[in-house]
Amino acid sequence: MTEFELIRQYFQRDAGPSWCRLGIGDDAAILRPPAQRELAICTDTLVAGRHFPQDTAAADIGWKALAVNLSDLAAMGAQPMGFLLNLTLPDNDPAFVAELARGMFELASTHDVALIGGDTTRGPMSLSVTAFGHVAIDRTLRRDAARVGDVIVVAGELGGAALALARGGAADPALRAYLDRPQPQIEAGLALVECGHAAIDISDGLAADLGHILTASGCGAQIDLAALPLAPQLADLADSEAMRLALHGGDDYALIATLSRRAWAALAERPCGWRCVGEIVEQPGLYGRAHDGSRQLIPATGYTHF
Amino acid sequence: MTEFELIRQYFQRDAGPSWCRLGIGDDAAILRPPAQRELAICTDTLVAGRHFPQDTAAADIGWKALAVNLSDLAAMGAQPMGFLLNLTLPDNDPAFVAELARGMFELASTHDVALIGGDTTRGPMSLSVTAFGHVAIDRTLRRDAARVGDVIVVAGELGGAALALARGGAADPALRAYLDRPQPQIEAGLALVECGHAAIDISDGLAADLGHILTASGCGAQIDLAALPLAPQLADLADSEAMRLALHGGDDYALIATLSRRAWAALAERPCGWRCVGEIVEQPGLYGRAHDGSRQLIPATGYTHF
């Protein structure tokens, strides 16, 4: 199967959205951005054995490559529109590609995002997805916009992916889904964009990613550890182990954000997917408050690639 | 050096263009697309040993990764704006990254394009660049828009990169530059966008890429072999070898396009970088006409990845 046949068979869809003036099959895709909106664009590469275990099913690889990018758009409060896929594969395996495409389009159709272009090449397996969406002008949820007195909120669950990774083959399917099929918190991002200040998606662990907000915004935070929305499978673990996974485990793709206390009072009146977990304070550093009222400094360590 | 330090040191620039509302350092970049224009977006992955020889200098790898994408924008008649870089590297080698960034920004500054985001990760070396630019509404140069009677024009030189690849270490620097430092034909694309019909950039060889236009447009072509703009280094070769490189060699990143005879007469009156090499005909297939008037069918073979 040639590169062109591969694209036609597995990735090209007939009807594109109306904003897509020209999709897969030319030198570039052409899109007509919505008037009076800004465009958010992000890209993430997934390497086998690093961003997903080598035994990950092809459909799950496809899902995850798109999910981690939609999660970045969610963290900006953007409405996703479409994506491009760079697919590098070591050999010609149509069954693998078919499954990868199936998982990817399963997530894409859930959020009505269209594949409009990309590239296929041969080499050690990796996938890069570039996703884009639109957001109201000057309404972006940025990392540097947290303010002292803000409420800190989380959407999604914490620690499930790290526990699944630690258990490896012993993880049951429901637990493994946290690792293989992260759910980008798009609705939560959209619900927050009108009233939120700072936001980031939790890919390297809550402590590390909230740490990026604190560094960029020049402030500190106090977290109520009992309020963290843990994946239910963490209930059986010792408290310290559950907290380690929830604070420093990677791959959750939950969102963490800040907004004023007043805005939170209004948002919390309706089902919004967000949960209050702490507050932004002036004193630098991230502190956790336990059941018994004790307070401890949480190091902002997480996953780093280099 | 962490991922974040790497990005800050080598890839982050202080002042972004005014259309870039938020650049490197958040979950996504935010851009404000120009009003009344469409956005062209393209992406290409380069794998070491496949898209460039293993001995390629880091600065040349950086240049080429951006150049092949700007070439795609040129083929759409788009004005380039910016790009994202996904960089996967096997190890932490700051000197390599510094050189790669130097070569990439050398080309970027020539065409006033800004790096606004990306991703770095560890793994077997590959680079994906996603580039975007703007183009007038419904003015895109598409592959499927050639019409019978159109003049076929080429901008750039042919065969130099393939000859450099064949000579390997024996290629002198001027020849090697065809392979390592392709020049995207952006000005030529912009000169053509108001009057052109079809266009494509020549990455897999003239015959294969013109073949894509012919297939998509449902027509054939006749090329005047003596009119092809060969790289000067091909002058010393036997005619048949020079033609093989010019027609089937890859990596030229010249443009080939079609436009009406009347539009060509107007365009050719000023320096435009384009050269007439043949015409679109009704009969399917690509035919070459030699000095002596003889005519031969040229197979549309080129480089394929799978």
Side-chain angles (χ1 to χ4, degrees):
Chain A
M1 185 175 298
T2 70
E3 176 182 2
F4 305 106
E5 289 162 353
L6 181 102
I7 294 166
R8 260 193 302 272
Q9 179 156 357
Y10 297 112
F11 295 109
Q12 206 155 0
R13 296 290 192 267
D14 278 344
S18 62
W19 53 258
C20 181
R21 311 299 294 174
L22 187 60
I24 292 171
D26 215 301
D27 293 291
I30 301 287
L31 60 110
R32 199 169 287 181
Q36 299 302 315
R37 304 282 286 180
E38 291 177 339
L39 217 61
I41 185 164
C42 62
T43 186
D44 263 323
T45 298
L46 272 64
V47 175
R50 179 160 294 269
H51 299 94
F52 52 87
Q54 296 280 6
D55 69 349
T56 306
D60 293 337
I61 296 170
W63 174 291
K64 190 166 185 174
L66 179 58
V68 303
N69 282 282
L70 295 186
S71 178
D72 279 324
L73 293 183
M76 306 306 277
Q79 173 71 55
M81 298 169 68
F83 66 105
L84 300 96
L85 168 66
N86 300 60
L87 183 58
T88 303
L89 293 173
D91 47 34
N92 187 350
D93 181 349
F96 181 90
V97 175
E99 274 297 288
L100 187 141
R102 188 176 65 75
M104 183 169 273
F105 282 113
E106 198 180 327
L107 179 63
S109 62
T110 302
H111 295 288
D112 197 23
V113 297
L115 176 63
I116 65 162
D119 186 36
T120 60
T121 191
R122 207 188 282 265
M125 183 160 79
S126 79
L127 299 88
S128 294
V129 167
T130 303
F132 56 91
H134 59 83
V135 64
I137 289 175
D138 289 331
R139 274 292 182 191
T140 304
L141 302 168
R142 303 166 56 125
R143 296 185 180 185
D144 60 2
R147 301 176 201 172
V148 173
D150 273 3
V151 165
I152 300 172
V153 292
V154 170
E157 294 173 335
L158 302 172
L163 182 59
L165 189 63
R167 294 215 172 139
D172 65 46
L175 179 60
R176 181 75 192 220
Y178 283 99
L179 183 63
D180 291 339
R181 296 234 167 186
Q183 300 288 342
Q185 300 290 323
I186 292 166
E187 293 304 321
L190 292 172
L192 196 77
V193 72
E194 287 300 317
C195 62
H197 290 162
I200 193 170
D201 77 321
I202 302 179
S203 53
D204 298 334
L206 182 145
D209 288 311
L210 176 54
H212 294 315
I213 288 183
L214 302 182
T215 303
S217 303
C219 52
Q222 185 157 291
I223 294 287
D224 182 359
L225 297 177
L228 294 177
L230 306 190
Q233 289 87 345
L234 271 64
D236 302 333
L237 305 179
D239 262 14
S240 62
E241 178 61 4
M243 278 302 128
R244 192 183 65 78
L245 294 172
L247 293 170
H248 305 290
D251 265 4
D252 286 322
Y253 302 102
L255 296 186
I256 188 162
T258 83
L259 72 172
S260 74
R261 198 163 289 277
R262 175 187 300 197
W264 171 240
L267 188 64
E269 281 184 1
R270 52 191 171 94
C272 63
W274 292 96
R275 181 162 175 175
C276 176
V277 302
E279 64 184 324
I280 296 292
V281 297
E282 199 166 344
Q283 185 192 6
L286 170 59
Y287 288 86
R289 198 173 43 221
H291 283 108
D292 59 5
S294 67
R295 213 162 141 272
Q296 62 185 99
L297 181 66
I298 301 170
T301 52
Y303 188 80
T304 54
H305 293 298
F306 283 88
Chain B
M1 185 174 302
T2 69
E3 177 182 2
F4 306 106
E5 289 162 352
L6 181 102
I7 293 166
R8 261 194 301 273
Q9 180 156 357
Y10 296 112
F11 295 109
Q12 206 156 1
R13 295 291 192 263
D14 280 342
S18 62
W19 54 258
C20 181
R21 311 299 294 174
L22 187 59
I24 292 171
D26 216 301
D27 294 291
I30 302 286
L31 60 110
R32 199 169 286 181
Q36 300 302 315
R37 304 282 286 181
E38 291 177 338
L39 217 61
I41 185 164
C42 62
T43 187
D44 262 322
T45 298
L46 271 65
V47 175
R50 181 160 294 269
H51 299 95
F52 52 86
Q54 296 280 6
D55 70 348
T56 305
D60 293 338
I61 296 171
W63 173 291
K64 189 167 185 175
L66 179 58
V68 302
N69 281 282
L70 295 185
S71 178
D72 280 323
L73 293 183
M76 307 304 279
Q79 173 72 55
M81 298 169 68
F83 66 106
L84 299 96
L85 168 65
N86 299 60
L87 183 59
T88 303
L89 293 174
D91 47 33
N92 187 349
D93 181 348
F96 181 90
V97 174
E99 273 297 288
L100 186 141
R102 189 177 64 77
M104 182 169 274
F105 282 114
E106 196 179 330
L107 178 62
S109 62
T110 303
H111 296 288
D112 196 22
V113 296
L115 176 63
I116 65 161
D119 185 37
T120 60
T121 192
R122 206 187 282 266
M125 183 160 80
S126 79
L127 298 89
S128 294
V129 167
T130 302
F132 56 92
H134 59 84
V135 62
I137 288 176
D138 290 330
R139 274 295 182 191
T140 304
L141 302 167
R142 303 167 56 125
R143 295 185 181 186
D144 60 3
R147 302 176 201 170
V148 173
D150 273 3
V151 166
I152 300 171
V153 293
V154 169
E157 293 173 335
L158 302 171
L163 182 59
L165 189 64
R167 294 216 172 138
D172 65 46
L175 179 60
R176 180 77 192 219
Y178 283 98
L179 182 64
D180 292 338
R181 298 235 166 183
Q183 300 287 342
Q185 299 291 324
I186 291 166
E187 292 304 321
L190 292 172
L192 196 77
V193 72
E194 287 300 318
C195 61
H197 291 162
I200 193 170
D201 77 321
I202 302 179
S203 53
D204 298 333
L206 183 144
D209 289 311
L210 176 54
H212 294 313
I213 288 182
L214 302 182
T215 302
S217 303
C219 53
Q222 184 156 291
I223 294 288
D224 182 359
L225 297 177
L228 293 178
L230 306 190
Q233 288 88 344
L234 272 64
D236 302 334
L237 306 179
D239 262 13
S240 62
E241 178 62 2
M243 278 302 126
R244 191 183 66 77
L245 295 172
L247 294 171
H248 305 289
D251 265 5
D252 284 323
Y253 302 101
L255 295 185
I256 188 162
T258 83
L259 72 173
S260 73
R261 199 163 289 278
R262 178 188 299 197
W264 170 241
L267 187 64
E269 281 184 359
R270 52 191 172 94
C272 62
W274 291 97
R275 182 162 174 174
C276 177
V277 302
E279 64 184 324
I280 296 291
V281 297
E282 199 167 343
Q283 187 193 5
L286 171 59
Y287 288 86
R289 198 173 44 222
H291 283 109
D292 59 8
S294 66
R295 215 163 140 271
Q296 63 184 98
L297 181 66
I298 301 170
T301 51
Y303 188 80
T304 54
H305 293 297
F306 283 88

